[in-house]
Amino acid sequence: MPRKKKSRKIGQIGTPLAPKTNRKPAPASPKRNKKTLGKPAGTRNNPEQTNSQSKPNKTVKDPRVGSKKPIPLVVDDKPKAKVAKPKFFSPAQELESIEQNERFALLLEKLDSDVALTRDEKAFVNKLTARHQELCDLLGIADEDDSVENSESSAENDLYEQFESIDINKFK
């Protein structure tokens, strides 16, 4: 059985089309308008002129989307949020609040264990210890640590003086 090459010419392989003159034109469908979604291209850079012409007294609104807050290029070390300082009725209440302060206690523990503190933490500890000392002086409270150290150092001095006053010739 011989094979035939396919060709583009209408013949036995394809079905013949009607001549162009005999064809019926396709029914013209009515053109429908597309719904416009969003703003046309370039509206961000070209703000509407009609609004600005009718109201010249108003400031021109920036059409760009996003935050207009300026971003600081240099980092400031100063804290911006100020914490309200609690008011106390008596120095005893203030002294008690300093002694009950958890952050202060944790930082003192860090200092005792020889852990390095940051500059802010050191400033906080120094401020509270100075205030604590002022309140203790004001209330007439003596530090127990100082009195214990003074008694120990005086006892050590007495022993040292006693040791130096011993005459070695007595023991020969």
Side-chain angles (χ1 to χ4, degrees):
M1 186 161 126
R3 296 182 183 231
K4 288 186 179 179
K5 283 187 174 181
K6 292 183 180 177
S7 68
R8 292 181 183 249
K9 296 181 180 179
I10 299 173
Q12 295 176 351
I13 297 174
T15 58
L17 293 176
K20 288 184 179 180
T21 55
N22 295 345
R23 289 187 204 159
K24 292 181 181 177
S29 62
K31 296 264 183 177
R32 55 175 211 177
N33 294 333
K34 290 185 178 180
K35 290 183 180 178
T36 56
L37 299 175
K39 295 182 178 181
T43 55
R44 184 179 79 179
N45 298 325
N46 301 325
E48 294 181 27
Q49 298 298 325
T50 58
N51 290 343
S52 63
Q53 290 173 354
S54 63
K55 299 176 185 176
N57 293 342
K58 269 195 164 179
T59 59
V60 179
K61 184 180 175 189
D62 194 358
R64 292 175 290 181
V65 178
S67 176
K68 309 300 186 290
K69 181 180 176 185
I71 298 171
L73 299 177
V74 179
V75 178
D76 293 335
D77 291 337
K78 298 176 185 176
K80 293 184 180 180
K82 300 218 175 184
V83 178
K85 197 174 180 182
K87 305 218 176 190
F88 300 101
F89 295 113
S90 69
Q93 287 179 341
E94 187 175 355
L95 182 67
E96 184 178 335
S97 69
I98 289 174
E99 290 174 353
Q100 298 298 325
N101 193 336
E102 293 177 9
R103 180 180 175 206
F104 184 55
L106 289 173
L107 292 175
L108 287 178
E109 287 177 16
K110 277 186 177 181
L111 274 176
D112 290 341
S113 61
D114 296 331
V115 176
L117 298 179
T118 64
R119 183 174 46 188
D120 295 335
E121 290 173 342
K122 285 180 188 176
F124 179 75
V125 168
N126 290 341
K127 184 177 91 175
L128 280 184
T129 51
R131 185 64 184 153
H132 185 270
Q133 187 64 37
E134 286 178 25
L135 292 172
C136 286
D137 292 343
L138 184 67
L139 294 173
I141 300 172
D143 274 346
E144 297 143 5
D145 296 335
D146 291 342
S147 61
V148 170
E149 289 175 6
N150 289 339
S151 63
E152 287 177 4
S153 63
S154 64
E156 289 175 5
N157 287 337
D158 292 341
L159 288 175
Y160 184 69
E161 289 175 11
Q162 186 180 9
F163 174 72
E164 284 194 349
S165 65
I166 295 176
D167 188 15
I168 298 177
N169 293 331
K170 287 183 183 178
F171 297 105
K172 286 187 181 180

